[in-house]
Amino acid sequence: MSYQLRHTAPTPEQVALASHLAGKLGIHPMLGKLLVDRGITSEEEARHFFRPQLSQLHDPFLMNDMAVAVNRLNEAMGHKERILVYGDYDVDGVTSVALVYKFLLQFYSNIDYYIPDRYEEGYGVSYKGIDTAAAQGVGLIIVLDCGIKAVDEIAYAKSKGIDFIICDHHVPDEVLPEAVAILNPKRPDNRYPYTELSGCGVGFKFMQAFAINNGIDFSKVSALLDLCTVSIAADIVPVTGENRILAYHGLRCLNTNPSVGLRAIATICGIAEREVTMSDIIFKIGPRINASGRMQNGREAVTLLVEKEYSTALEQANQINTYNEQRRDLDRQMTEEASACVRSLSHLEDRRSVVIYNAEWHKGVIGIVASRLAEQYYRPAVVLTQSDGFATGSARSVTGFDVYRAVQSCADLLENFGGHTYAAGMTMRVENVPAFRERFETFVEEHILEEQTLPTLDIDSYLDFRDLTFKFYQELRRFAPFGPGNEKPIFCTRKVYDYGTSKVVGRGQGHIRLELVDGKSNKVMNGIAFGQGGKSPYIKTRRAFGICYTVEENTHKRGEVQLHIVDIRPLE
């Protein structure tokens, strides 16, 4: 793996500015550099960055169609129309539905929620969902995290007397559905100041606008920010701008007064008694919510997230945890099969992308498998299976490459598609798979950069162990929440030695628990290197090596720092 600085070498002016900021804020000079790297150039900007305020949120009525959406919702409630809150079956969709439903249920009872079945209905707005709504006498559907491409389906709903309000964040086509209102900051005519909201974030802004219009205290809306934060982390949207404000306060909510359903999931994950982080959402909470839609039906996850009784929520969380265990087994099996399939491809070394198809694969985990292949082969990856006579699949990308555009370049071969920069979904006729594979490969080959196909680790700075104090860690924590656009800083120490007590641990001796000393300070640091057990023999030679790592608190020794080592490299 090659290393490179995440940002270009600072200019003398940037070095001076970083030093000035660090002095004014009383933080380590390296952290001043991290602020400048993030475009923060003043003490006031730094204080806003470290302590985002809800008062900094944008006026929701700046979003196109917001006033129309609020008026239509007011009208529906005033006329006692039946309202259906409809969303996608992934984490973003499920949390969106839970947030909007929970908020409106405080003021209105003639309301229900709907999550389409991944296998019977597929992604987005379905005819079955519309027919179900019509049979129940629904007059208004609020659709979240999907709907922006449902032109035909929404026209069908209109013929049945059902209006739609779309809350989406996916890239729209040229033709927009005939909805009453379309709330989407990626509209071509968008005037909203921030374009990277999650689907749940768009739903939150809608409820914020409704609250303003109806004189409802903002605390009624902000109390649901824990759900918004789960969507931001799990959907891998940028943790910048307004998303950073929402995530910051949502994490505080998640750690102080979480919804009953999220508290139950945290308990099942074993993280309820400690501070929950964005990483916990990505690797623990999110997969369990997702597992409901992958293995059964996402409605169960919404039912859990809106539950009021903790004992009931705990039972539901246990059931979803069972789904997650089933998902992991299936994921492991399919990843092995998919890897074997990739290895069997002719001229693999010459291809810039991976596109594989197996009619027998489980639709619920193809996105996970595509992610694993993209990570393993450092290429954009598409995994396809068969559903209802069509080939349906998921695409995942590598850093910096827009896989949505690659899929879009094959639009004439597709029945439908959608997504964003790093993830997309598509459906096509089975006979189009070979042509799609070659067209997709051609686009990737023409547009991907050489460095995007190589394993590269971006580091923020070089450090010596003497810098790694607990005070440094506490100051570094103020940069959280971390995510795209504000990645957790990775540091590099170029010359360290085994202190003599490092050892392999874990199942299959796959990890290394390290005690290290650097060549300058002779300070001993503890660290853990997951999945790098194979490098233990070199470490035991007592020769120097380099490490890249993030800085964490030692969970076994409060007040001490440990290193989460992401790569070990023998020195040349």
Side-chain angles (χ1 to χ4, degrees):
M1 182 177 292
S2 64
Y3 300 160
Q4 64 182 22
L5 286 171
R6 192 184 304 276
H7 306 278
T8 55
T11 64
E13 291 78 14
Q14 289 173 321
V15 171
L17 178 59
S19 177
H20 173 74
L21 279 176
K24 284 287 188 180
L25 297 166
I27 60 176
H28 191 282
M30 181 52 59
L31 302 182
K33 174 188 177 297
L34 294 185
L35 287 172
V36 173
D37 287 344
R38 284 155 176 74
I40 296 166
T41 59
S42 71
E43 186 178 351
E44 182 181 6
E45 288 175 343
R47 295 194 189 283
H48 281 312
F49 179 79
F50 285 144
R51 293 187 63 85
Q53 301 297 313
L54 289 171
S55 59
Q56 296 171 271
L57 292 174
H58 300 303
D59 177 357
F61 287 98
L62 293 175
M63 194 175 293
N64 301 54
D65 285 358
M66 185 62 81
V68 177
V70 170
N71 288 340
R72 181 63 184 91
L73 179 55
N74 282 334
E75 178 186 299
M77 294 170 74
H79 293 156
K80 296 185 168 43
E81 292 179 58
R82 186 152 182 80
I83 299 171
L84 187 67
V85 185
Y86 188 119
D88 186 25
Y89 39 64
D90 69 358
V91 178
D92 193 10
V94 165
T95 52
S96 300
V97 170
L99 185 148
V100 171
Y101 176 80
K102 282 184 74 172
F103 177 75
L104 292 179
L105 192 63
Q106 299 174 86
F107 316 103
Y108 192 71
S109 61
N110 194 13
I111 186 170
D112 199 0
Y113 53 89
Y114 188 93
I115 303 290
D117 186 279
R118 182 189 291 263
Y119 307 101
E120 289 185 13
E121 300 167 76
Y123 169 79
V125 179
S126 71
Y127 290 104
K128 180 184 175 182
I130 293 168
D131 287 340
T132 301
Q136 295 176 356
V138 169
L140 175 65
I141 295 178
I142 301 170
V143 60
L144 297 132
D145 192 36
C146 57
I148 196 64
K149 295 193 173 190
V151 175
D152 294 339
E153 293 84 354
I154 289 177
Y156 175 72
K158 192 173 182 180
S159 74
K160 290 182 169 289
I162 300 173
D163 283 341
F164 263 82
I165 295 172
I166 297 173
C167 303
D168 204 350
H169 70 131
H170 295 100
V171 179
D173 288 335
E174 289 184 14
V175 178
L176 297 177
E178 289 189 66
V180 170
I182 298 176
L183 308 178
N184 186 337
K186 289 191 173 69
R187 284 174 55 157
D189 59 347
N190 171 63
R191 63 174 185 267
Y192 192 69
Y194 187 72
T195 61
E196 300 299 332
L197 292 168
S198 65
C200 189
V202 177
F204 174 85
K205 299 303 295 189
F206 184 20
M207 295 302 96
Q208 181 189 7
F210 176 83
I212 292 170
N213 182 261
N214 287 278
I216 299 168
D217 194 276
F218 179 65
S219 63
K220 293 277 190 182
V221 195
S222 62
L224 301 171
L225 277 175
D226 53 352
L227 292 165
C228 205
T229 297
V230 170
S231 83
I232 290 168
D235 217 51
I236 320 294
V237 294
V239 185
T240 58
E242 196 162 38
N243 278 346
R244 178 174 170 80
I245 300 170
L246 297 171
Y248 178 89
H249 288 277
L251 275 176
R252 292 178 68 177
C253 180
L254 192 56
N255 282 294
T256 57
N257 188 31
S259 66
V260 170
L262 287 175
R263 182 156 63 96
I265 298 174
T267 300
I268 293 301
C269 296
I271 58 174
E273 300 304 318
R274 63 171 175 79
E275 183 178 3
V276 178
T277 65
M278 297 289 272
S279 291
D280 290 325
I281 295 172
I282 293 169
F283 295 110
K284 296 180 182 294
I285 295 174
R288 285 165 173 82
I289 296 173
N290 247 336
S292 177
R294 293 185 189 282
M295 306 306 294
Q296 291 294 324
N297 186 287
R299 183 178 173 90
E300 291 185 50
V302 178
T303 301
L304 165 59
L305 293 178
V306 302
E307 178 57 52
K308 296 178 181 178
E309 294 295 330
Y310 181 68
S311 58
T312 304
L314 205 55
E315 291 176 13
Q316 295 167 339
N318 270 302
Q319 180 58 60
I320 282 178
N321 194 53
T322 300
Y323 296 151
N324 192 51
E325 290 170 359
Q326 295 169 357
R327 188 272 309 165
R328 280 193 296 204
D329 291 341
L330 192 59
D331 167 16
R332 192 177 301 112
Q333 174 191 336
M334 273 183 56
T335 298
E336 291 172 359
E337 292 176 3
S339 295
C341 186
V342 173
R343 290 193 298 270
S344 71
L345 294 174
S346 60
H347 307 295
L348 173 62
E349 66 280 1
D350 299 324
R351 298 188 71 86
R352 295 297 195 178
S353 67
V354 169
V355 180
I356 55 176
Y357 168 72
N358 185 322
E360 303 303 317
W361 281 337
H362 194 285
K363 186 179 176 183
V365 294
I366 53 176
I368 299 172
V369 175
S371 293
R372 301 211 190 290
L373 295 182
E375 292 170 7
Q376 183 177 353
Y377 294 99
Y378 304 105
R379 295 167 169 87
V382 180
V383 178
L384 296 153
T385 188
Q386 191 171 126
S387 176
D388 294 329
F390 289 91
T392 185
S394 290
R396 296 295 185 269
S397 194
V398 293
T399 301
F401 182 77
D402 190 339
V403 77
Y404 176 82
R405 285 184 59 222
V407 171
Q408 189 179 40
S409 73
C410 309
D412 58 302
L413 298 172
L414 306 175
E415 300 299 305
N416 56 65
F417 67 96
H420 40 77
T421 303
Y422 290 115
M426 75 293 297
T427 300
M428 69 192 79
R429 296 182 184 279
V430 173
E431 58 266 29
N432 285 351
V433 170
F436 173 83
R437 180 183 288 119
E438 295 313 311
R439 183 91 66 81
F440 185 83
E441 166 67 19
T442 298
F443 183 93
V444 174
E445 186 177 30
E446 291 176 352
H447 292 85
I448 200 164
L449 303 176
E450 183 66 29
E451 57 265 29
Q452 292 171 337
T453 65
L454 299 171
T456 302
L457 189 62
D458 290 342
I459 58 174
D460 287 87
S461 187
Y462 297 99
L463 287 180
D464 298 326
F465 281 0
R466 61 172 169 257
D467 296 306
L468 301 176
T469 64
F470 192 68
K471 182 177 184 292
F472 177 86
Y473 163 74
Q474 289 177 309
E475 292 171 351
L476 187 62
R477 282 186 62 190
R478 297 171 69 188
F479 283 76
F482 299 113
N486 184 42
E487 289 86 356
K488 180 177 287 189
I490 296 177
F491 302 108
C492 180
T493 301
R494 287 182 270 203
K495 192 174 183 181
V496 303
Y497 302 86
D498 176 29
Y499 190 60
T501 50
S502 299
K503 59 183 179 181
V504 290
V505 296
R507 183 182 300 175
Q509 305 287 280
H511 317 308
I512 315 175
R513 189 167 293 283
L514 295 144
E515 285 194 325
L516 303 172
V517 62
D518 72 357
K520 292 185 177 180
S521 65
N522 292 321
K523 180 178 180 179
V524 179
M525 293 296 303
N526 294 307
I528 182 73
F530 293 108
Q532 299 184 62
K535 296 178 181 176
S536 178
Y538 180 87
I539 290 169
K540 289 299 183 181
T541 65
R542 300 293 182 91
R543 286 182 286 177
F545 53 94
I547 57 171
C548 290
Y549 53 88
T550 60
V551 181
E552 319 287 345
E553 183 175 9
N554 190 325
T555 53
H556 301 293
K557 296 180 181 178
R558 292 293 180 187
E560 292 189 14
V561 169
Q562 72 173 7
L563 310 181
H564 179 184
I565 297 169
V566 295
D567 196 50
I568 298 171
R569 177 195 280 183
L571 297 183
E572 300 294 336

